[in-house]
Amino acid sequence: MRHNTRRHSDIRLQKTRGQRGPSGQIRHVRRGVRRFFAGRRIRRGDDKVKAVNGYRLSHSFPSGAWEREMITHHGFSQGGFALTVRTRFAPSPTGYLHVGGARTALFNWLFAKRHKGKFILRIEDTDAARSTEESIQAILDGMEWLGLTWDEGPFFQSKMFDAYRAHAKKLLDAGLAYRCYCAPEELEARREAALKEGRPPKYDGRCRARTDAPDKPYAVRFKTPGGGATSFADVIKGHISFENSAMEDLVILRSDSTPTYNFCVVVDDATMGITHVVRGDDHINNTPKQILIYRALGYELPVFAHLPMILGSDKTRLSKRHGATSVMAYKEMGYLPHSLVNYLARLGWSHGDQEIFSIEELVEKFSFENVGASSGVFNPEKLLWLNHPDIKEMREEAIAPLLLPFLKEKGIDAGGDARLLAIIKTLKERAKTLRELSDAAEFYFAGKVSYDPKAAEKFLTKEALPLFEGLIAGLSGLSEFTEAKVEEVFNAILNANGLKLGKLAQPVRVALTGGTVSPGIFEMIAAMGKERAVARLHDAAAYMKKG
RNA sequence: GGUCCUAUCGUCUAGAGGCCCAGGACGUGGCCCUCUCAAGGCUAAAACCCGGGUUCGAAUCCCGGUAGGACCGCCA
């Protein structure tokens, strides 16, 4: 049953368990539950009071608002002492860092930075068969390129098996878990049969009451409570509740005694002191299981924030079909890390009408309150649009080292070229990516210009020959080869012949670049340098005479 | 099939019961500027999933549909 929770805005948080803060110390802050509930369609049960992440929601707050930040910053105040926010990114090393993972990492990072907390990197490599060294490196590279530096780690789950086993033993000893001797093949057969008959494919718990201990390999299963519900207040999605009866007794230790995901996550997040678990909303269904384990282990719950997924253009989960999904692929396409970060931040999060943010602004303004609950489509065109101002506003000195590898791919070694900065200056305003910039720069370095046939036919005509001769003479005579001086030479010729700039600029453009598209004619000539410009004009003049 | 999540222009979003016959941005069309191409400026087309309810008043709150997505492993 759904409630109009907005009307019940007299809701407060009370501490019900844990040691983090005395009850009754909740400040009133203006931006409270109204928005939280308004946009989130929070559901609440019929009962007036619900336990939520160790707090209770109840209808008694006199000020009529609820401290939203209390959930967001859960664990903040402890008798006046600030506890630091600790977030983590926990990828499994089975491939490269993709944009979805990068966004999850970014939001974790942003939240930690925003609250001067710690951001932790943890590699979830319990599946030895699928985890690879290359993947680990690829993820690290991607994070580093994006500037998502971590304060602790990387930690590897594969090195912490003892801790998981110890925790499992604790549950076993407490009677909160049990040994399951069912063979995997047997379970698989039962699952298929259940699916076939339309029954939920849930483990029937047949080993739960077992008192014998056969000399067979066994898995350890967690005892899920048969009744009741497990609910939590997600900072992004609102109140979420699951019936315990729908959950099965999940395996926490495999028969080879390696731990499983849902168990490791809890043990790690709890022992690493993670205060805010920020991850994709594909984990929502895992959350109640994890909460149950937290409780069984006697650990305090973190705050959960489930980010909506990133979809492809056809609104299905983003995958290679939709184009590049690897973060490093964007580096290779000539994007700047800031653009990707800016784009990813804006995909799901917003701050009024603002589109462009510096990293500092992002850190300053980020809040889960402004993260939308619905999934978003990855739009490469908008990312491209964002990259443009980044390149435009970057100093030539900063662009140069990034551009060199792209030029090198074309066989151009511009490292020692004194003209490089001037060349970049002419190009950067009109390049959306570094790759585009390197493409556009190619003509500057070419040994000989090859003319686009159509352009040559239209512009490199006999009529233009006298103008070229005048230009060659004028440019050759310049002692100072600057943009302004070049322009003076042009103007003199234009005035003497009563022509508009277009009449001269286009033929010259073809002569110098081979095509009809280039930076402004004066800046381009100046950047090219006298020697090369004059030589190309000579070549063009010779071509005109022939043809 | 079960569970959970979600729903405003093609896309990202603003929206906190009246400031909304819905604002911004990308993309698209037009015009201006102009030595080409971009950029820039102006401008146009373009959305509240449907049905009930609450209310003097609903994009907004409630209920029900519908649609999309995710998850249902001894994967993570």
Side-chain angles (χ1 to χ4, degrees):
Chain A
M1 173 175 185
R2 291 184 185 195
H3 273 262
N4 178 350
T5 42
R6 170 116 29 129
R7 294 208 173 130
H8 297 291
S9 56
D10 53 340
I11 285 171
R12 78 182 290 189
L13 278 167
Q14 289 178 334
K15 197 72 178 162
T16 56
R17 57 183 285 272
Q19 306 77 29
R20 275 191 183 147
S23 60
Q25 281 203 350
I26 293 140
R27 286 171 304 139
H28 167 50
V29 166
R30 199 168 287 120
R31 310 186 75 178
V33 71
R34 292 180 70 217
R35 182 203 166 91
F36 181 49
F37 278 169
R40 310 284 190 236
R41 297 187 182 218
I42 298 222
R43 256 92 114 188
R44 293 173 48 252
D46 279 343
D47 48 335
K48 273 191 145 183
V49 179
K50 274 235 138 144
V52 172
N53 283 6
Y55 289 97
R56 292 159 86 86
L57 285 170
S58 72
H59 297 243
S60 57
F61 203 30
S63 59
W66 178 48
E67 201 348 355
R68 159 68 184 273
E69 298 284 293
M70 200 58 207
I71 280 213
T72 314
H73 305 167
H74 160 96
F76 243 33
S77 56
Q78 180 179 29
F81 294 99
L83 289 176
T84 35
V85 161
R86 292 172 65 83
T87 64
R88 48 61 161 187
F89 176 53
S92 67
T94 53
Y96 49 76
L97 179 66
H98 57 90
V99 293
R103 191 181 62 148
T104 302
L106 172 64
F107 282 27
N108 271 288
W109 185 87
L110 247 19
F111 187 74
K113 294 292 157 199
R114 167 74 179 80
H115 298 289
K116 306 207 184 326
K118 299 282 186 219
F119 173 60
I120 293 141
L121 180 61
R122 182 173 76 222
I123 305 295
E124 310 227 322
D125 57 349
T126 54
D127 187 347
R130 297 202 308 153
S131 302
T132 67
E133 202 59 43
E134 296 77 53
S135 282
I136 293 169
Q137 197 50 50
I139 289 166
L140 263 30
D141 289 348
M143 302 271 293
E144 196 184 334
W145 183 65
L146 289 172
L148 302 180
T149 49
W150 50 94
D151 301 300
E152 291 173 28
F155 298 111
F156 294 87
Q157 289 189 326
S158 57
K159 300 201 175 122
M160 301 185 280
F161 279 4
D162 289 345
Y164 309 128
R165 282 170 200 147
H167 279 82
K169 184 168 188 307
K170 204 173 141 192
L171 290 180
L172 233 25
D173 291 346
L176 296 165
Y178 60 91
R179 296 180 174 82
C180 171
Y181 295 90
C182 301
E185 309 79 52
E186 200 182 318
L187 291 168
E188 185 53 35
R190 276 187 238 155
R191 181 190 326 281
E192 271 171 29
L195 243 19
K196 216 170 175 179
E197 291 163 35
R199 285 183 290 116
K202 205 179 117 178
Y203 177 66
D204 57 14
R206 64 177 63 188
C207 292
R208 215 186 228 252
R210 208 163 175 147
T211 48
D212 61 337
D215 188 24
K216 283 208 302 190
Y218 61 87
V220 177
R221 282 187 190 268
F222 178 74
K223 269 188 195 167
T224 303
T230 300
S231 43
F232 60 101
D234 189 280
V235 197
I236 292 169
K237 305 275 188 176
H239 189 269
I240 301 176
S241 186
F242 291 81
E243 293 296 321
N244 289 337
S245 58
M247 285 181 268
E248 66 175 355
D249 288 345
L250 69 152
V251 170
I252 57 175
L253 236 46
R254 302 184 185 99
S255 35
D256 63 0
S257 87
T258 60
T260 60
Y261 169 72
N262 281 114
F263 189 57
C264 296
V265 168
V266 174
V267 172
D268 286 338
D269 285 341
T271 56
M272 290 175 186
I274 302 302
T275 57
H276 296 73
V277 170
V278 182
R279 74 235 295 196
D281 68 9
D282 48 339
H283 287 283
I284 286 181
N285 293 287
N286 288 324
T287 308
K289 300 175 198 170
Q290 294 171 195
I291 287 174
L292 257 14
I293 296 174
Y294 268 100
R295 292 203 182 123
L297 254 15
Y299 286 123
E300 179 113 6
L301 290 173
V303 173
F304 292 99
H306 285 102
L307 266 17
M309 304 253 83
I310 299 180
L311 272 24
S313 48
D314 59 358
K315 302 221 177 197
T316 61
R317 198 181 175 140
L318 189 66
S319 74
K320 277 177 220 145
R321 290 181 292 119
H322 303 106
T325 56
S326 153
V327 165
M328 292 313 259
Y330 285 90
K331 181 188 181 191
E332 276 149 35
M333 286 188 277
Y335 287 83
L336 265 15
H338 169 260
S339 315
L340 226 206
V341 165
N342 194 148
Y343 178 73
L344 257 16
R346 266 299 274 106
L347 181 53
W349 173 83
S350 63
H351 186 263
D353 285 339
Q354 190 173 345
E355 298 286 351
I356 296 176
F357 299 83
S358 67
I359 302 295
E360 294 71 29
E361 277 179 297
L362 248 22
V363 168
E364 182 192 323
K365 291 173 173 161
F366 182 79
S367 150
F368 286 121
E369 190 165 335
N370 297 314
V371 173
S374 57
S375 45
V377 174
F378 187 83
N379 182 354
E381 283 172 336
K382 188 151 184 180
L383 171 58
L384 188 62
W385 172 77
L386 274 169
N387 205 48
H388 183 229
D390 274 359
I391 291 186
K392 201 159 68 175
E393 278 151 34
M394 215 166 162
R395 286 171 34 247
E396 290 82 46
E397 290 84 349
I399 294 177
L402 302 178
L403 186 66
L404 257 21
F406 288 96
L407 290 171
K408 197 150 226 160
E409 266 181 49
K410 299 173 174 299
I412 298 167
D413 182 8
D417 200 316
R419 303 170 306 160
L420 184 60
L421 295 186
I423 286 171
I424 292 173
K425 190 166 193 284
T426 68
L427 260 13
K428 68 173 190 175
E429 278 196 37
R430 24 176 76 74
K432 288 198 164 84
T433 65
L434 291 171
R435 188 170 287 282
E436 233 178 86
L437 182 39
S438 80
D439 287 344
E442 209 167 354
F443 78 84
Y444 279 113
F445 301 99
K448 216 164 171 58
V449 180
S450 61
Y451 304 125
D452 167 49
K454 271 198 190 137
E457 189 189 343
K458 185 166 177 197
F459 294 110
L460 297 184
T461 58
K462 280 209 169 72
E463 292 74 55
L465 194 52
L467 298 175
F468 268 52
E469 282 164 350
L471 193 58
I472 290 167
L475 292 177
S476 303
L478 286 178
S479 54
E480 226 189 311
F481 206 72
T482 64
E483 194 178 329
K485 293 288 177 195
V486 171
E487 186 166 358
E488 280 174 25
V489 171
F490 267 73
N491 283 337
I493 294 172
L494 259 20
N495 287 337
N497 294 278
L499 290 173
K500 295 227 295 185
L501 178 57
K503 288 287 175 201
L504 183 55
Q506 275 309 78
V508 169
R509 180 168 279 122
V510 176
L512 297 182
T513 73
T516 55
V517 175
S518 88
I521 198 83
F522 309 128
E523 51 173 333
M524 186 260 283
I525 292 173
M528 181 173 282
K530 181 168 161 181
E531 192 186 334
R532 203 168 285 220
V534 170
R536 289 183 184 186
L537 288 173
H538 270 298
D539 289 348
Y543 176 91
M544 289 150 127
K545 274 181 201 153
K546 270 197 305 186

